[in-house]
Amino acid sequence: MLNVNDYHYKKILVLGLAKSGVVAASLLHQLGAFVTVNDFKPFEENPDAQGLLEQGIKVVCGSHPVELLDEGFELIVKNPGIPYSNPLVQGAVELGIPILTEVELAYQISEADIIGITGTNGKTTTTTLIYEMLDRANRNPLIAGNIGTVASEVAQKATPDNTMVVELSSFQLMGINSFRPHIAIVTNLYEAHLDYHNNWEEYANAKMNITKNQRETDYVIVNADQKELMDLISFSKAKIIPFSTKEFIQEGASIRNGMLTFMGEDIMSLDEIVLPGAHNLENILSATAAVKLMSVDNESIRKVLTTFTGVKHRTQFVEEINERKFYNDSKATNILAASSALKAFDDPVILLAGGLDRGNSFDELIPSLKGVKALVLFGETAKKIEQAGLEAGIETILHVNNVEDAVPAAYEISNAGDVILLSPACASWDQYRTFEVRGDIFIEAVHKLKKSS
């Protein structure tokens, strides 16, 4: 870990705990800052806050009082999930107090080069593919970020022999100052998270922050099939490495004559790749570009792509029961992600969908629903998705209470050769704390079904 003196004797507020807040508070305390932690959960119900208090860190729990700003903080490290509309955050902005997220701390203390991955969809799969390819080539990678492992925690043990592979959300990237990955990736960019961001421009600009500090010696890998994204990224000082699933690119990653290529070199045949879905080809191309820039050999890439079948909760194969294949795509929290998952399958699909109602319609899902065999719906959006299904011509539509009930209901109307796919097209928060919890319940229900079949 690099010895950073920037925080000595600085008065810093860590706003919001969860995993990232706990790590950030402890790290800043270790770096000599005067840290105050503020978390909404009451102290008596908050073991994280209790543990920080035992370290000698000041803790304020139960609300986010704007009056805290009267204490003269020089910096706020904010949990990414707390929106900028929060009154305390708004007050800090008005006072000109810098607001960062813990990924900025990770960059400052890391001795390792960083590969940063962002985009609307495909981040986790791309991050995992890069990690697996580097690991196969014995390059000592570390995986971190929005994928579930706090970046500033991983960075504390990173050495110059490591490479940190970091998944980054727009929420995290809004709170950076000097963060600079050696290799940045933008998988794609679609309208999303507008309940958090004020508008599309704010969302897109947050994503572009991944390359704002890069230099001529760095690289940014970007989806050339999206002209608007290419226009947005054109300001970058880094060397732009495009990838495309639609046309051959000599100076990038693409497809030629059924072969995966990079800089015109054939890497492997597409027929050997086991990860399902056309949408995953974008992830494969961007990951391949990243590791080739790190001089990873083709055989290491091929070994990963001939064995890697997906990340948990992302078009994850779960089980086959009496010739029905079950897939868990609980991470599909928006229409685009669910549409991409549906395109991955040629066999008849019974789709399990529904969740938090964010006020949008599901008209954009209708083209992807055409050809879907049946719908099993749950959650706040069940009626809305039913309407989309009817317009797509789906005749069999069931309503159930939850994901657990959806599994046996789908099986009852299925036939041999069918795919039963959980791809909700919605966030989970109406019924489940996270999409991971929702996916785990699906997996458990499938295993329970198998035992009883």
Side-chain angles (χ1 to χ4, degrees):
M1 183 175 95
L2 294 176
N3 185 21
V4 177
N5 297 317
D6 296 7
Y7 301 107
H8 274 186
Y9 308 117
K10 272 195 173 181
K11 197 167 186 180
I12 299 175
L13 175 65
V14 175
L15 183 59
L17 284 180
K19 291 186 289 186
S20 65
V22 171
V23 173
S26 295
L27 175 60
L28 288 165
H29 183 65
Q30 181 182 342
L31 294 174
F34 298 122
V35 181
T36 297
V37 167
N38 175 222
D39 194 57
F40 194 80
K41 186 184 292 186
F43 181 77
E44 59 273 12
E45 302 171 14
N46 200 327
D48 289 332
Q50 294 167 21
L52 292 172
L53 183 63
E54 291 176 2
Q55 294 180 40
I57 295 171
K58 182 179 177 181
V59 174
V60 178
C61 289
S63 65
H64 294 308
V66 177
E67 295 76 20
L68 265 178
L69 298 176
D70 295 337
E71 297 190 16
F73 294 108
E74 299 171 74
L75 173 69
I76 292 177
V77 177
K78 181 181 74 68
N79 183 291
I82 297 176
Y84 284 78
S85 58
N86 179 285
L88 195 156
V89 178
Q90 286 184 328
V93 171
E94 290 170 5
L95 291 170
I97 303 173
I99 301 172
L100 301 176
T101 55
E102 60 82 30
V103 294
E104 175 73 12
L105 303 178
Y107 170 73
Q108 291 177 339
I109 66 171
S110 175
E111 295 183 34
D113 279 341
I114 293 175
I115 301 175
I117 302 94
T118 197
T120 304
N121 292 316
K123 297 185 294 296
T124 300
T125 298
T126 302
T127 301
T128 307
L129 281 168
I130 293 170
Y131 172 83
E132 294 291 341
M133 291 172 179
L134 291 172
D135 188 54
R136 176 69 71 168
N138 298 315
R139 301 295 291 274
N140 304 314
L142 301 170
I143 196 166
N146 199 49
I147 198 166
T149 308
V150 179
S152 56
E153 180 176 24
V154 174
Q156 293 180 51
K157 58 187 178 185
T159 73
D161 292 330
N162 298 121
T163 299
M164 281 187 61
V165 188
V166 185
E167 179 184 336
L168 297 160
S169 70
S170 60
F171 304 170
Q172 292 168 312
L173 287 168
M174 281 190 77
I176 65 166
N177 181 25
S178 61
F179 180 86
R180 175 189 157 217
H182 176 50
I183 299 174
I185 296 175
V186 186
T187 58
N188 47 54
L189 200 59
Y190 300 99
E191 196 168 283
H193 297 303
L194 298 190
D195 54 337
Y196 183 99
H197 297 284
N198 289 319
N199 49 49
W200 158 256
E201 288 75 20
E202 182 181 285
Y203 173 67
N205 288 336
K207 291 293 192 183
M208 293 306 100
N209 277 351
I210 195 171
T211 189
K212 74 173 184 177
N213 296 317
Q214 287 190 295
R215 303 171 187 168
E216 291 81 357
T217 52
D218 299 320
Y219 301 92
V220 57
I221 300 165
V222 62
N223 192 335
D225 295 333
Q226 294 190 313
K227 184 181 183 304
E228 185 176 8
L229 176 53
M230 292 297 289
D231 291 342
L232 285 169
I233 210 79
S234 62
F235 79 95
S236 177
K237 293 179 182 178
K239 183 174 182 180
I240 296 174
I241 306 294
F243 68 88
S244 173
T245 64
K246 298 178 179 178
E247 60 181 351
F248 174 68
I249 299 177
Q250 178 68 38
E251 298 297 319
S254 59
I255 309 301
R256 178 178 58 188
N257 299 326
M259 298 291 290
L260 179 69
T261 72
F262 180 71
M263 297 297 181
E265 176 193 6
D266 289 344
I267 307 296
M268 63 182 293
S269 169
L270 296 185
D271 292 338
E272 297 179 86
I273 297 171
V274 297
L275 185 62
H279 63 293
N280 276 318
L281 196 51
E282 289 185 356
N283 307 327
I284 288 166
L285 287 167
S286 57
T288 298
V291 299
K292 288 298 290 182
L293 292 171
M294 299 287 291
S295 301
V296 168
D297 61 283
N298 292 349
E299 184 59 21
S300 293
I301 296 170
R302 195 191 70 80
K303 284 182 177 177
V304 170
L305 293 179
T306 55
T307 56
F308 182 83
T309 57
V311 179
K312 191 176 183 182
H313 307 302
R314 292 143 178 99
T315 325
Q316 170 201 6
F317 175 69
V318 176
E319 193 66 78
E320 182 171 342
I321 303 174
N322 296 328
E323 299 181 57
R324 285 88 161 163
K325 293 181 178 178
F326 290 79
Y327 287 85
N328 166 29
D329 192 41
S330 184
K331 180 61 170 67
T333 57
N334 57 53
I335 291 171
L336 178 65
S339 297
S340 296
L342 287 167
K343 291 175 186 175
F345 300 101
D346 296 323
D347 295 325
V349 174
I350 297 173
L351 177 65
L352 283 55
L356 182 73
D357 189 350
R358 283 177 159 150
N360 59 288
S361 73
F362 288 83
D363 293 347
E364 293 179 11
L365 188 61
I366 293 172
S368 300
L369 292 177
K370 291 180 178 179
V372 168
K373 178 177 179 177
L375 290 173
V376 181
L377 305 175
F378 47 84
E380 292 177 353
T381 56
K383 285 288 186 183
K384 287 185 174 182
I385 300 176
E386 177 184 23
Q387 184 58 42
L390 291 171
E391 293 186 34
I394 299 174
E395 296 181 358
T396 305
I397 302 177
L398 305 180
H399 287 254
V400 295
N401 292 324
N402 50 43
V403 169
E404 186 175 14
D405 292 345
V407 170
Y411 181 79
E412 284 297 318
I413 59 173
S414 68
N415 295 311
D418 288 351
V419 167
I420 297 175
L421 170 67
L422 171 68
S423 193
C426 304
S428 63
W429 303 322
D430 59 331
Q431 293 183 303
Y432 306 102
R433 184 170 54 85
T434 64
F435 73 82
E436 291 97 339
V437 171
R438 179 171 63 188
D440 286 339
I441 288 172
F442 173 78
I443 293 169
E444 290 171 10
V446 173
H447 291 324
K448 181 179 179 182
L449 177 65
K450 183 168 186 178
K451 289 180 181 177
S452 62
S453 297

